Amino acid sequence: CIGKDIICDDSGNVYVANSSSVIKYNNSGLLMWEYNDTTDYGKIILDSNVNLYCGGSKSGKFVATKLNIFGQRLWRTQQFGSDRFKDMVLDKSGSVSITGVAQSGTTFYDYYTIKYSNDGIILWRKAYSGRAVYPSDDFVYSIASDNMNNVYVTGSSMDSLSTFNCL
């Protein structure tokens, strides 16, 4: 397995996302639990209640999972096609947004972002396909949220001259 993200809580517990599971170690390094669903998790975030949000890809789909402090799944969802999960953010309201690169329709790769409620219900989905007049590649790299719970993504987009531009 390959470690992809690591975070610590206020008690010194360590959480690791990897290519097949999410693992929690206590502050002495002892394994507390392992959540395994063979998703390639790339990002984990803790909320103020020590619930863990996990984002990744599995079988060509975006995956978002919420685990409680004991590693028990509270919800999990798979949506759309995702060639590459890239990032995830938790906003002030407790909603989580994930983003990545998806291939859809007649276009090549596009940004694809999904915002979920605290209960795992989809609030909205957005795709971005660049301004080129023919199918072009667009790659998202990062996501952020402001104090008003707006979501922002950044990456690159190919223009009609096949030049990648920052967005």
Side-chain angles (χ1 to χ4, degrees), residues 47-60:
D47 69 13
S48 59
N49 296 317
V50 198
N51 292 306
L52 193 64
Y53 294 83
C54 314
S57 300
K58 181 178 182 178
S59 302

Side-chain angles (χ1 to χ4, degrees), residues 58-88:
K58 181 178 182 178
S59 302
K61 298 191 181 291
F62 280 114
V63 176
T65 304
K66 182 178 179 180
L67 307 175
N68 67 17
I69 193 169
F70 305 108
Q72 298 165 327
R73 185 173 70 194
L74 299 175
W75 55 261
R76 182 177 185 276
T77 182
Q78 284 187 206
Q79 298 292 321
F80 201 63
S82 170
D83 288 82
R84 289 181 219 122
F85 166 83
K86 290 306 275 185
D87 205 3
M88 177 174 65

Side-chain angles (χ1 to χ4, degrees), residues 136-147:
S136 64
D137 286 331
D138 305 297
F139 297 102
V140 66
Y141 294 103
S142 188
I143 190 169
S145 178
D146 64 17
N147 288 335

Side-chain angles (χ1 to χ4, degrees), residues 104-144:
S104 61
T106 59
T107 62
F108 292 148
Y109 294 104
D110 296 327
Y111 294 22
Y112 198 74
T113 305
I114 307 170
K115 186 170 187 174
Y116 298 96
S117 72
N118 192 355
D119 297 320
I121 297 166
I122 293 175
L123 300 175
W124 53 257
R125 296 177 230 204
K126 302 286 182 189
Y128 174 78
S129 182
R131 297 181 181 187
V133 294
Y134 59 90
S136 64
D137 286 331
D138 305 297
F139 297 102
V140 66
Y141 294 103
S142 188
I143 190 169

Side-chain angles (χ1 to χ4, degrees), residues 22-57:
V22 178
I23 303 167
K24 177 183 178 180
Y25 298 97
N26 70 12
N27 58 11
S28 297
L30 297 174
L31 177 67
M32 300 300 293
W33 51 258
E34 181 174 5
Y35 174 78
N36 188 338
D37 69 0
T38 66
T39 296
D40 185 5
Y41 287 112
K43 181 80 173 190
I44 48 179
I45 299 173
L46 282 170
D47 69 13
S48 59
N49 296 317
V50 198
N51 292 306
L52 193 64
Y53 294 83
C54 314
S57 300

